[in-house]
Amino acid sequence: MRRAALAAMLCGAALLAGCATVANPDPRDPWEGYNRSMTKFNDAVDDAVIKPVATVYKEVLPQPVRTGVGNFLGNLGDAWSFVNSVLQAKPEAALSSFWRVVVNTTLGLGGVLDPAAEMRLERHREDFGQTLGYWGVPPGPYFVLPFLGSSTLRDTAALPVDWYGHPIGHVNDVSLRNSLRALQIIHLRSQLLEAGELFEAAALDPYTFRRDAYFQKRRNDIYDGNPPQDEERYDLEEGEAPAKP
């Protein structure tokens, strides 16, 4: 309850700080004032806590250990990907995820090793937000979540289902479950350390770059890397026609 109250207070503070009107709002981002404020808050938390811990994690643990951690977490994710592949009526992806879990859990010492990759069983990362998108639910407005970062209204609504459906959500021991969640965040952040530095140096406006990259990634995720070409474009001037492929 205390965590929920603290998160609500922080979110409310960011909302009040982000009420400024944006001169040229992106139609996908009607809450840009709030989103920019929350992004600054998340970046401050990242700089103060998450990034330093991820840096120590990467420097202290040798590569084989970090690879094993990534394989273990990936194996847990494959189980939830299997469920979402079934919900999306993707039999090939579902079978691949199913056999990845079976092979890596048994032959891979509980998922620490990845023999399924040697067997050319492809990993298909699927979540419930992608499942909703697959069945036609629009993404809705861009929305930056406290601590979690970029999202959309659809992905935010799907988040409780993802948390519950993921195997980590079914760990009964609260301390172990929280530790696995923290390990998941730190491991992912450690993989983005170098990319984050390049991103900050290259982007003129890191916020819009991050927002546009998120929309593009999620669209590619939903269409398995082959999005249709007839989507309405937001990056063109009024009256300008998109170039033919």
Side-chain angles (χ1 to χ4, degrees), residues 137-175:
V137 178
Y142 182 66
F143 185 55
V144 179
L145 292 166
F147 306 109
L148 300 179
S150 297
S151 185
T152 59
L153 203 58
R154 177 189 64 207
D155 290 345
T156 300
L159 201 56
V161 179
D162 282 323
W163 281 351
Y164 179 79
H166 195 282
I168 292 178
H170 294 273
V171 176
N172 293 325
D173 189 299
V174 176
S175 61

Side-chain angles (χ1 to χ4, degrees), residues 68-85:
V69 171
N71 290 339
F72 174 76
L73 295 173
N75 190 50
L76 296 178
D78 286 337
W80 183 230
S81 293
F82 162 73
V83 174
N84 281 284
S85 293

Side-chain angles (χ1 to χ4, degrees), residues 6 46 87 127 130 146 166 197 215 217:
L6 178 59
D46 181 70
L87 294 176
D127 55 53
Q130 290 171 243
H166 195 282
E197 294 176 357
F215 272 111
K217 178 186 181 302

